[in-house]
Amino acid sequence: MIRIIDNKKIDLTNHEWEIYLKICDSYKQYGGEQLFDNLFETDENGIIMYLIPPSKKQTSLEIFLFLVSVFNHQHVRLMYKQMDDFKKIIEEKFEKIDKK
């Protein structure tokens, strides 16, 4: 589901969103949501395209590792979707061949 973090669209599962909210809540005294600013860039579909190491501000290793995890999970979900789409195409081709 598309959510907004740092004014960017990001595709997160409900579980990932809950973790994000818990992290923000646990760092409330440090700015919570602001600790995610300028750490990643996404495409128009909310997929993290690259991570930006924090250089001019402090953030938590927990936050950066969360973003690394989301990045990896998003790309694995994309690979699974591509394989499912490919499987469907192959099955349709075999059905056509079987009918002949």
Side-chain angles (χ1 to χ4, degrees):
M1 178 178 288
I2 298 294
R3 312 288 184 147
I4 303 294
I5 297 177
D6 187 26
N7 295 318
K8 299 176 183 101
K9 292 193 295 185
I10 184 167
D11 184 24
L12 298 174
T13 64
N14 289 336
H15 183 68
E16 290 166 340
W17 181 248
E18 289 172 15
I19 293 171
Y20 165 76
L21 294 175
K22 286 179 185 176
I23 290 171
C24 289
D25 189 51
S26 70
Y27 288 96
K28 205 181 296 183
Q29 72 264 20
Y30 302 108
E33 293 89 4
Q34 286 76 31
L35 295 176
F36 284 85
D37 291 353
N38 300 315
L39 293 179
F40 63 95
E41 287 298 327
T42 61
D43 67 6
E44 63 278 353
N45 298 315
I47 303 299
I48 296 175
M49 298 312 295
Y50 59 92
L51 297 168
I52 305 166
S55 59
K56 296 185 181 185
K57 67 176 187 113
Q58 290 186 354
T59 192
S60 158
L61 183 60
E62 178 183 15
I63 289 170
F64 198 72
L65 290 176
F66 170 73
L67 290 172
V68 169
S69 176
V70 168
F71 173 83
N72 287 327
H73 290 154
Q74 286 179 334
H75 288 270
V76 168
R77 286 192 295 264
L78 285 174
M79 288 187 294
Y80 273 108
K81 184 183 180 324
Q82 289 173 342
M83 290 305 297
D84 288 343
D85 293 346
F86 182 68
K87 178 184 172 195
K88 184 178 177 181
I89 291 169
I90 294 298
E91 287 173 345
E92 289 171 359
K93 297 282 185 187
F94 275 113
E95 284 177 19
K96 287 180 183 178
I97 290 171
D98 287 342
K99 286 181 183 177
K100 289 183 181 181

